[in-house]
Structures are given as C-alpha cells and as structure tokens.
Amino acid sequence: MKKIMVTGASGQIGSELVVKLREIYGQDAVLATDIRQIINSAGPFEVLDVMDGKRMYTLAKDFGADTMIHMAALLSATAEKNPLLAWNLNMGGLMNALEVAREREMQFFTPSSIGAFGPTTPKNDTPQDTLQRPTTMYGVNKVAGELLCDYYHARYGLDTRGVRFPGLVSYVTPPGGGTTDYAVDIYYKAIEEGRYTSYIAEGTYMDMMYMPDALQAIVDVMEADGSKLIHRNAFNISAMSFEPSEIAAEIRKHIPHFKMSYQVDPVRQAIADSWPNEIDSTAAREEWGFKVEYNLEKMTIDMLQKLKKKLTKKAIS
Ligand code: NAD
C-alpha cells in the first residue's frame, strides 16, 4: 500500500488532492501537512513548515511515507511582491523535500508551471523542450526546481516526476495568489454580482485546466511505468487556452446579463504577457497517457452549477 506525505496540503491543489488520494489509496494512507490547518477532510494532519527539514524527515519516517508530494510554495503574483521570501521558501522547501525523499528513497512529485517560460519562449504550441528564460522570481524558482528534480534523478536515481501546470480553476479552495486567478474569481463575481472587472487585458491568452483533470494528471504521472518516461519532471500539460472575453462569453450563455469590464493590473499583466499563449502537451500524452475531460464549455457548466450550490449554502448558514 502507498503511504503518501503531502506538503502545502491546505492550498488550492493540496486540499482537493488529499481528498482524492484518500479515496484511491485509503484514508490513513495520506499524511496531509501545511503551515496552516484548514484542511477539513478526515485523516492524518500535521502542522509542518517546509523550511524545517528535520521535522519533515521525522514526520515522513514516523508515518512510513514512501511517496512525497511537495506542494508548498509561494505563487507567481505573491512571489513578485516578496522575491527573497519566494526564493527562500520555493527553493529551500523543495531542497528539504528532495533530501527527505532521497534519504528515505521515496517517490517524488512536485509541480512546475507555465511560469517556467519567459518572453523569449515560443508563444504558440510551446514545445516540451524549449528556451526557458523567465523574467519573474517564480519562474526562476520553477526552472531551478525542474533542473533540481532532474538532477536528483540522474545523480541519485530518485524517482522524481512532475508536470508544468497551467492556471487551475476550481470551486472548492480559493487560489493562492497566481496570475491566472481571474479565471476563478470571474465565476464567483458572475454569480454574486453579475459583473466582473478583469485585471488581465482582453486578448491575453493563457493555458488553463479544471481541477479534476489536474488531480487526475498527478495520479496518472505517478502511476506511470517509469521505464517509459523519456522526460520525468515538468511535462507540459494543458486543457484549454482562452482570453478574458472568451470566458466571459461562455459565462454569458448561462448568465445573459453578465457584464465584463477591464482594469488592468500592470504587474500581473506583465507576468501574463511573458507566458505562452498555448503549450504543447504531446510528450505527456505519449509518455504516460495524459488526457483531459473538461474544455471551457464543460468547465463553465460545472463551475457555475457547483459554485451556485456552494454560495447558496454559505448564504443560508
Ligand atoms: P496555494 O498557495 O493555494 O497553496 C500553497 C500552500 O502552501 C498553502 O496552503 C500554504 O499555507 C502552504 N505554505 C506556505 N508556506 C509554507 C511553509 N513554509 N511550510 C508549509 N506550507 C506552506 O498553492 P497551490 O495553487 O495549491 O499550488 C501548489 C503547487 O502547484 C505550487 O508549487 C504551485 O507553484 C503549483 N502550481 C499551481 C498552479 C495553480 O494554478 N494553482 C499552477 C501552476 C503550478
């Protein structure tokens, strides 16, 4: 049986991932950890600051973990506000997690991001292997992280795996300060106020994915036959690419009076402008069978349905 330790488990991805992993591998097979305890699923939880490598090691050992899923990080927009903190947490936390995994011979997963690309990267059909000169601290961290994970595999034979996530959309846990957060906020505001002011300019395409597909991708890449992997870390994966007026038009199919306006935030717009329009996921499809269920149309139907229920419940309680 797998014994999985997750860091950053109270975040946008971690909070849903833990629930899914417990459904698949058993309630007690997953140790959720985070610096803050807001996870509400039944099962083991420990407070852990990923900067504390000793405690991370002890928790992994006591739990008998054979898999490390490292999610704790500072995201793109937040990292730009505090680059030094981002460097220390994103690199220090990753190094601690890799070292614990190496010492205990654990399978290892950590996500990279479309933020690992930069303005000189080909913008369309961005290849798996291409120029990566990001201009954000987050991007610098992600490229270094991709290389570190490759290094731990080559140098120590550690079973490291990973994907480059696009912007993730979910109705469960709010996003943690990324550049693509508008694609989540817009659904909340559409239901609550019938209008949304976008901080990203019309015409700015970015890759996106609905959370159920992102969680399945983590499970699939971790379950894949390692001997078939040519790449290991940082597989390009995307489900859709759209710009603000396209998601607004999709929402308008269900909320016809929905109004969209723009007040562009220069910091997040500059980050978005430095990222690809649409990445090519061929390597992930060929090497471990990456696939998605949701496009923009299907995601919008599900988001609006689930979010309406959630917001009505909140209003009643
Ligand atoms: P998030 O910000 O929602 O969650 C991060 C979690 O890390 C939070 O719960 C936070 O409390 C925790 N954390 C912060 N500092 C910590 C510390 N010192 N010790 C322990 N925990 C700490 O982020 P997320 O969206 O869940 O992202 C998880 C990973 O996925 C990150 O590596 C991120 O770069 C990557 N990613 C996310 C997206 C996205 O759209 N959500 C896209 C691409 C890549």
Side-chain angles (χ1 to χ4, degrees):
M1 194 184 90
K2 266 192 192 291
K3 294 280 268 178
I4 306 166
M5 177 166 168
V6 182
T7 72
S10 301
Q12 193 201 10
I13 305 176
S15 56
E16 288 192 63
L17 179 66
V18 165
V19 174
K20 182 170 178 100
L21 293 175
R22 284 182 177 153
E23 275 165 18
I24 299 173
Y25 302 108
Q27 190 159 303
D28 296 324
V30 183
L31 173 64
T33 73
D34 199 288
I35 202 164
R36 54 186 182 131
Q37 180 162 13
I38 55 158
I39 197 151
N40 50 12
S41 106
F45 179 90
E46 292 285 346
V47 172
L48 169 69
D49 180 345
V50 291
M51 298 309 286
D52 186 349
K54 263 199 189 138
R55 178 162 165 78
M56 193 190 283
Y57 180 86
T58 306
L59 287 177
K61 181 166 168 278
D62 292 351
F63 187 65
D66 56 32
T67 305
M68 173 75 80
I69 299 192
H70 178 60
M71 289 290 175
L74 226 58
L75 269 61
S76 57
T78 318
E80 238 22 60
K81 282 188 200 139
N82 199 338
L84 185 61
L85 175 67
W87 175 266
N88 289 336
L89 173 62
N90 292 351
M91 301 321 301
L94 175 60
M95 203 49 155
N96 284 339
L98 278 167
E99 272 299 289
V100 170
R102 180 183 68 78
E103 284 176 51
R104 298 199 40 80
E105 296 180 13
M106 298 159 82
Q107 197 190 22
F108 188 87
F109 174 91
T110 201
S112 184
S113 156
I114 51 170
F117 297 119
T120 50
T121 302
K123 272 217 167 297
N124 298 311
D125 268 336
T126 305
Q128 174 65 41
D129 302 304
T130 187
L131 205 56
Q132 288 181 267
R133 306 284 296 171
T135 46
T136 62
M137 177 51 93
Y138 181 69
V140 170
N141 298 163
K142 286 303 186 191
V143 175
E146 292 180 3
L147 293 172
L148 255 183
C149 291
D150 280 349
Y151 177 81
Y152 268 69
H153 175 66
R155 176 79 164 76
Y156 303 113
L158 193 68
D159 186 3
T160 55
R161 300 176 186 207
V163 296
R164 289 185 187 124
F165 276 133
L168 299 181
V169 177
S170 151
Y171 62 92
V172 180
T173 306
T179 303
T180 52
D181 293 4
Y182 91 89
V184 178
D185 301 342
I186 194 171
Y187 288 108
Y188 279 84
K189 289 285 191 310
I191 294 170
E192 288 173 329
E193 297 170 21
R195 57 176 63 239
Y196 182 65
T197 306
S198 174
Y199 60 81
I200 294 290
E202 191 170 353
T204 311
Y205 280 89
M206 283 186 278
D207 284 288
M208 303 278 177
M209 188 180 287
Y210 199 33
M211 190 61 86
D213 285 332
L215 302 181
Q216 192 58 49
I218 296 175
V219 172
D220 288 347
V221 76
M222 291 300 272
E223 291 283 358
D225 178 352
S227 69
K228 299 222 165 71
L229 299 181
I230 302 162
H231 301 85
R232 286 212 141 246
N233 303 292
F235 280 98
N236 278 4
I237 58 169
S238 174
M240 60 193 99
S241 167
F242 55 76
E243 53 90 21
S245 76
E246 289 176 357
I247 186 171
E250 204 55 47
I251 290 173
R252 225 168 271 126
K253 287 185 187 167
H254 310 275
I255 306 175
H257 64 276
F258 176 65
K259 282 206 171 51
M260 178 88 150
S261 56
Y262 296 87
Q263 196 171 6
V264 174
D265 166 20
V267 175
R268 284 177 287 185
Q269 184 63 39
I271 298 176
D273 286 339
S274 77
W275 291 357
N277 293 336
E278 187 163 19
I279 61 173
D280 173 18
S281 318
T282 306
R285 275 199 298 275
E286 288 180 354
E287 291 176 41
W288 50 273
F290 166 67
K291 57 187 174 320
V292 293
E293 259 189 57
Y294 291 88
N295 57 16
L296 177 58
E297 193 182 352
K298 222 173 143 189
M299 175 175 85
T300 300
I301 293 170
D302 202 62
M303 264 306 270
L304 290 175
Q305 218 173 49
K306 301 270 170 55
L307 210 50
K308 266 182 203 159
K309 256 195 215 151
K310 179 179 162 177
L311 295 173
T312 317
K313 242 195 208 164
K314 209 171 132 195
I316 293 168
S317 62

